[in-house]
């Protein structure tokens, strides 16, 4: 199914290309949330990747520590929303008792209320849209708009992540194949020159790579390049 942004019939593929990638698209979504949800002064998107929570995007003016402190402590509204699948709302952090370590930091940044809404994202065990207000209970009148926005952008974020994975897979495969090819060439050259088997050739290359603090792929590329240069000079 073709996903569209709320600017019309533009597909996400086109939107990602227009905004120079997924990061910029998600940043636009968080900025749009601040504009559309009454009482919201900042917004971020939390997603679990590789077993840990991370912020995929944050709106303009979002203090970086607002989400990071929650991830470090394993506690906070966006952590709880992502992990439990339930909305978390704190109308006034000055009277909040659920997340004491986080609350102290958030209040120091000027944040007084937080609304975290769970998002359904394929390939992730937890995700949340996080909204921050600087006045007590500022987000109360915008909770319905926030839910509607979260439902609308959840599919968009999900599809955008799929597009990102699809776009990234092709160059990753090409890089892996090129790396394997140059390593095999270097092993073959070392076998012929030193008259050793493939296992010993590989072990020697690995040891040199570690001693020189050079990636194995880069070391093998150097070996192949030197051999090619030597062959070229020999033909002259």
């Amino acid at each position: 199914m073709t996903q569209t942004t709320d600017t019309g019939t533009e597909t996400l593929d086109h939107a990602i290309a227009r905004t120079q990638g997924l990061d910029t698209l998600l940043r636009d979504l968080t900025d749009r949330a601040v504009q559309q949800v009454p009482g919201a002064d900042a917004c971020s998107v939390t997603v679990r990747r590789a077993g840990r929570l991370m912020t995929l995007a944050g709106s303009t003016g979002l203090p970086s520590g607002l989400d990071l402190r929650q991830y470090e402590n394993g506690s906070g509204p966006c952590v709880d929303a992502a992990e439990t699948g339930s909305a978390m709302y704190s109308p006034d952090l000055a009277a909040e008792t659920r997340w004491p370590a986080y609350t102290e930091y958030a209040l120091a940044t000027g944040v007084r209320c937080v609304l975290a809404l769970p998002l359904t994202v394929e390939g992730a065990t937890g995700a949340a849209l996080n909204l921050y207000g600087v006045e007590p209970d500022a987000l109360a009148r915008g909770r319905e708009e926030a839910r509607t926005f979260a439902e609308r952008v959840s599919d968009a974020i999900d599809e955008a992540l799929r597009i990102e994975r699809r776009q990234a897979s092709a160059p990753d495969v090409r890089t892996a194949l090129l790396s394997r090819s140059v390593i095999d060439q270097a092993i073959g050259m070392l076998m012929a020159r030193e008259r050793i088997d493939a296992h010993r050739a590989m072990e020697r290359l690995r040891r040199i790579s570690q001693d020189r603090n050079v990636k194995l792929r880069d070391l093998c590329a150097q070996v192949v390049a030197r051999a090619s240069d030597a062959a070229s000079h020999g033909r002259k």
Side-chain angles (χ1 to χ4, degrees), residues 189 224-236:
M189 291 175 179
V224 172
R226 283 198 296 268
S228 298
D229 289 342
S232 297
H233 291 315
R235 287 194 293 270
K236 292 179 181 180

Side-chain angles (χ1 to χ4, degrees), residues 19-84:
T19 57
Q20 300 181 329
L22 176 62
D23 290 345
T24 307
L25 175 66
L26 293 178
R27 175 68 172 270
D28 287 348
L29 287 175
T30 56
D31 283 338
R32 196 174 304 168
V34 172
Q35 296 167 8
Q36 294 186 9
V37 177
D41 291 286
C43 175
S44 66
V45 175
T46 294
V47 171
R48 184 180 296 281
R49 274 181 166 178
R52 66 186 183 90
L53 291 174
M54 62 182 295
T55 298
L56 285 186
S59 63
T60 303
L62 176 75
S64 60
L66 276 176
D67 291 346
L68 183 59
R69 287 298 177 97
Q70 298 183 65
Y71 308 151
E72 291 175 344
N73 296 331
S75 175
C78 71
V79 171
D80 287 1
E83 292 187 342
T84 67

